[in-house]
Amino acid sequence: MSLFYCTAAQGKVGDAWEFSAGSLLRHEDNLFRSTSDNERNEQIVSTFAAVSGEQAISRQNLKLDARFSDNRYHHYDYLDYSAWEAEAAWDWLATSRLQGVLGADYNESINSFADFSGTEQNIRTLRRYYLDADWRVAGGWKLLAGGAHYQQENSSLYRVEGDYQSDSLELGMGYEAPSGSNVSVSLRKTDGDYANRVISTTDRVDSGFEQSLAEMRFLWMFSGKSKIRGNLGYVEREHDHYGERDYQGVIGGLSLDYQWTGSTRVSAAVEQNLVSYQSSPVTDVGKVMTSQAYYNSSYYRRRLISIGPLWRYSAKVSLHARWRYEERDYQGGLLTGLDGRKDRLQTLVLGGDWSPANCVLIGAALQRERRASNQANADFNSDMATLSLTFTF
């Protein structure tokens, strides 16, 4: 019997649910994203199982996407971990004018060693619970409201992006055209509290913050299969104790999903954002004294551009590529007389997929990642190869 033989009994349940399982082999030549003198290679085997689908109940709609993975390291087996990822949502409809979404997200993952220096394992857990509602006032005009609770936890002490929880409330208004294009403006207020932090005049790592974001978002469906999505806003964050950690500025982004031909699609994006990143002055001084890379920051400004074409050679074979360039300028440092850290990261991915049968997908990809920094011992080069096999039922 052929390995790729699939019977009709392995199809979707009720044409609404899909189950998948498989394995991914990854080889990395610089696991810890170290300088050239300290590179360590590794082979990681990940096995996974997933379920996704939706179920209509009267005028309501329930959605679920869940995935479990087990990740095993060949040399550095203390990094082994298992993780869940899940998204559940209820698209609710109260009346013909009032509708919204009630949902929850859950994600477990190991931190990238590009951001988490050292060789210690750190598993980050993210939880989000949210409720969004829109009320159609007249024609395409809507009033918008939403609230969310967010939690972030790290398995290891990670001060620069520490454990915290936040509650946010958002109000706005928008317009949706018959074509599906839409535009909205909103104001979001967020109140956050950091856990496991001791207020210290030495470190000046704060215990909480308040943030406001005024933002305009839009979606333009300029053809049947192509769209442009964008946002432009102003964010302001104030901390409970140390005003020198505060920041504010313009953020925004623009993404394009363009169906060039029937078999070719191109995605592209540009973005600017501000991200909290509170380093400790004591730790920074220690790194300076030992000639290590330091941050000296309260946040960083991220600018990125990416482009990714996809070409479907046939119904069974496709090729894809992605290039990403990112700049990080670390700002709000508490140590005077030191240059602010500046990183430049480039990532290039080339890959392909082959589906020898409807229920089987074989994928392969090569990735090259480079970081150049004005800090000593912060540069790295990393090459990675992946091979995956997925069965869908």
Side-chain angles (χ1 to χ4, degrees):
M1 180 180 292
S2 170
L3 173 66
F4 302 133
Y5 177 72
C6 300
T7 66
Q10 295 174 316
K12 298 178 184 178
V13 179
D15 293 328
W17 294 89
E18 186 173 87
F19 301 89
S20 61
S23 184
L24 182 145
L25 173 63
R26 183 168 85 246
H27 173 82
E28 298 200 24
D29 73 345
N30 189 3
L31 175 65
F32 299 115
R33 303 303 189 265
S34 304
T35 56
S36 57
D37 295 335
N38 297 297
E39 293 180 358
R40 298 292 184 271
N41 66 74
E42 181 59 291
Q43 294 79 43
I44 305 114
V45 177
S46 302
T47 55
F48 60 88
V51 58
S52 64
E54 56 185 281
Q55 182 67 52
I57 303 175
S58 184
R59 303 175 69 186
Q60 317 302 311
N61 196 48
L62 302 177
K63 299 179 180 178
L64 174 66
D65 286 287
R67 175 188 173 101
F68 175 79
S69 63
D70 182 71
N71 305 274
R72 301 292 164 177
Y73 290 71
H74 179 65
H75 298 295
Y76 303 94
D77 55 5
Y78 70 90
L79 295 174
D80 292 352
Y81 72 99
S82 299
W84 279 97
E85 301 173 61
E87 297 180 9
W90 169 26
D91 295 335
W92 56 269
L93 180 66
T95 71
S96 58
R97 292 180 176 272
L98 180 61
Q99 62 183 5
V101 181
L102 174 65
D105 303 334
Y106 182 87
N107 180 277
E108 294 174 323
S109 62
I110 191 169
N111 271 123
S112 167
F113 288 103
D115 299 320
F116 189 73
S117 59
T119 61
E120 184 180 5
Q121 184 198 64
N122 182 49
I123 304 300
R124 174 166 292 176
T125 302
L126 307 177
R127 298 179 180 88
R128 182 174 71 111
Y129 310 95
Y130 62 94
L131 172 63
D132 295 328
D134 66 73
W135 177 43
R136 190 178 299 274
V137 179
W141 291 98
K142 299 179 179 181
L143 295 179
L144 310 173
H149 176 76
Y150 184 87
Q151 295 176 321
Q152 174 176 288
E153 298 176 358
N154 296 283
S155 63
S156 300
L157 180 62
Y158 193 31
R159 289 187 176 182
V160 289
E161 294 182 345
D163 300 354
Y164 78 94
Q165 61 180 8
S166 67
D167 295 296
S168 62
L169 177 65
E170 185 172 9
L171 298 173
M173 63 180 299
Y175 177 80
E176 183 174 0
S179 63
S181 299
N182 61 71
V183 62
S184 66
V185 292
S186 64
L187 177 64
R188 182 190 306 157
K189 294 287 188 177
T190 302
D191 182 52
D193 294 297
Y194 287 98
N196 306 317
R197 282 189 175 180
V198 177
I199 298 301
S200 166
T201 56
T202 303
D203 279 340
R204 286 175 284 176
V205 179
D206 220 304
S207 62
F209 65 90
E210 292 184 353
Q211 180 171 297
S212 62
L213 172 62
E215 188 175 33
M216 182 274 292
R217 295 186 291 264
F218 74 88
L219 170 65
W220 177 30
M221 309 291 292
F222 65 91
S223 72
K225 297 183 179 180
S226 302
K227 58 188 176 183
I228 295 177
R229 190 185 304 271
N231 70 295
L232 180 64
Y234 189 85
V235 64
E236 184 173 6
R237 178 177 287 206
E238 297 180 349
H239 293 86
D240 293 348
H241 297 90
Y242 304 113
E244 55 267 46
R245 294 289 191 181
D246 297 349
Y247 61 83
Q248 61 279 319
V250 176
I251 65 170
L254 194 66
S255 65
L256 166 69
D257 190 358
Y258 179 59
Q259 192 72 39
W260 193 356
T261 67
S263 60
T264 306
R265 187 176 75 242
V266 178
S267 298
V270 293
E271 177 190 322
Q272 173 173 286
N273 206 350
L274 300 178
V275 181
S276 177
Y277 207 82
Q278 297 184 17
S279 68
S280 161
V282 175
T283 302
D284 285 335
V285 168
K287 290 183 176 181
V288 171
M289 298 298 293
T290 56
S291 300
Q292 299 182 58
Y294 60 89
Y295 287 99
N296 188 30
S297 66
S298 297
Y299 67 97
Y300 64 82
R301 185 182 303 274
R302 180 178 66 199
R303 299 184 178 94
L304 69 84
I305 179 172
S306 67
I307 184 168
L310 182 147
W311 177 49
R312 294 194 177 277
Y313 174 74
S314 67
K316 295 181 179 293
V317 178
S318 64
L319 301 174
H320 62 269
R322 181 172 61 88
W323 174 78
R324 173 187 170 110
Y325 175 78
E326 178 180 347
E327 295 182 352
R328 291 187 181 184
D329 293 343
Y330 293 84
Q331 301 179 13
L334 304 186
L335 296 176
T336 59
L338 294 177
D339 293 334
R341 177 168 173 166
K342 293 180 172 60
D343 291 346
R344 306 294 181 262
L345 301 97
Q346 290 194 68
T347 304
L348 176 63
V349 179
L350 301 174
D353 296 309
W354 174 46
S355 179
N358 291 336
C359 63
V360 179
L361 182 66
I362 300 173
L366 298 174
Q367 174 178 302
R368 172 159 291 183
E369 187 178 13
R370 300 287 184 265
R371 181 170 71 190
S373 177
N374 67 338
Q375 296 292 313
N377 301 314
D379 298 350
F380 71 78
N381 299 318
S382 172
D383 292 321
M384 181 171 63
T386 62
L387 181 65
S388 64
L389 174 65
T390 304
F391 295 91
T392 302
F393 308 101

